[in-house]
């Protein structure tokens, strides 16, 4: 089922490029110019063996899913049971299909990278503050 959804997603993602390749080179160049930075880089540099099985479409989806999972884990995740985590990540997987469509012409991957960096800085500062607070409590108890 997952492979079917990924094949449908990839074929839908490549519909834009397939239609551009049948028209002329200028149309394909116009499509690439409108794509966001990382997505354009993937589509220009990864091999394309068949319109339905384009590696760039899968790579875009995997990057969107991984970055969404990182942002979720850093910013919103709580300690839950394994069953609940499976449900959450399943819906995250399904939602990333829609985000992959948006990632073609909007800077979704770039936005997820910025969000992850901001959350990493926030978590590291929070961890450092808790560590310093624990040290101060420990020194206060020793006195």
């Amino acid at each position: 089922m997952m492979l079917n959804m990924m094949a449908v997603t990839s074929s839908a993602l490549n519909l834009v490029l397939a239609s551009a390749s049948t028209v002329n080179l200028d149309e394909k160049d116009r499509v690439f110019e409108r794509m966001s930075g990382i997505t354009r880089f993937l589509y220009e540099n990864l091999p394309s063996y068949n319109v339905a099985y384009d590696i760039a479409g899968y790579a875009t989806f995997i990057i969107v899913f991984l970055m969404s999972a990182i942002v979720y884990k850093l910013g919103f995740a709580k300690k839950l049971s394994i069953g609940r985590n499976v449900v959450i990540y399943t819906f995250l997987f399904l939602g990333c299909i829609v985000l992959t469509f948006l990632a073609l012409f909007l800077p979704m991957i770039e936005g997820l990278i910025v969000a992850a960096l901001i959350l990493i800085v926030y978590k590291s500062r929070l961890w450092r503050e808790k560590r310093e607070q624990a040290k101060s409590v420990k020194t206060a108890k020793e006195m």
Side-chain angles (χ1 to χ4, degrees):
M1 180 177 156
M2 184 184 311
L3 290 175
N4 288 339
M5 284 190 344
M6 289 182 73
V8 168
T9 303
S10 177
S11 64
L13 289 172
N14 295 320
L15 179 62
V16 173
L17 294 177
S19 64
S21 65
T22 58
V23 177
N24 60 26
L25 190 59
D26 293 334
E27 290 289 326
K28 189 173 183 178
D29 288 340
R30 232 183 312 172
V31 169
F32 278 124
E33 286 175 8
R34 290 183 49 205
M35 281 186 165
S36 66
I38 293 175
T39 307
R40 180 175 1 136
F41 176 79
L42 292 174
Y43 272 90
E44 288 176 345
N45 295 312
L46 290 177
S48 175
Y49 300 111
N50 188 350
V51 174
Y53 299 104
D54 196 12
I55 294 174
Y58 291 120
T60 303
F61 175 75
I62 290 169
I63 291 171
V64 168
F65 177 70
L66 290 177
M67 292 307 299
S68 297
I70 290 169
V71 168
Y72 167 73
K73 184 70 176 166
L74 287 173
F76 307 103
K78 295 180 181 180
K79 297 205 183 229
L80 299 172
S81 65
I82 293 174
R84 289 181 179 174
N85 275 331
V86 168
V87 169
I88 287 172
Y89 282 104
T90 301
F91 281 108
L92 183 66
F93 180 84
L94 295 173
C96 285
I97 293 171
V98 175
L99 290 179
T100 303
F101 287 116
L102 295 174
L104 286 176
F105 299 108
L106 297 174
M108 295 299 300
I109 297 173
E110 292 87 345
L112 288 168
I113 290 171
V114 169
L117 291 174
I118 289 170
L119 288 169
I120 287 169
V121 169
Y122 170 74
K123 288 290 186 172
S124 65
R125 293 183 84 189
L126 185 66
W127 176 75
R128 188 174 30 154
E129 282 182 17
K130 285 183 181 180
R131 188 179 69 192
E132 289 174 0
Q133 187 178 27
K135 278 185 183 178
S136 65
V137 167
K138 184 178 178 182
T139 57
K141 284 184 181 180
E142 289 177 358
M143 291 183 176

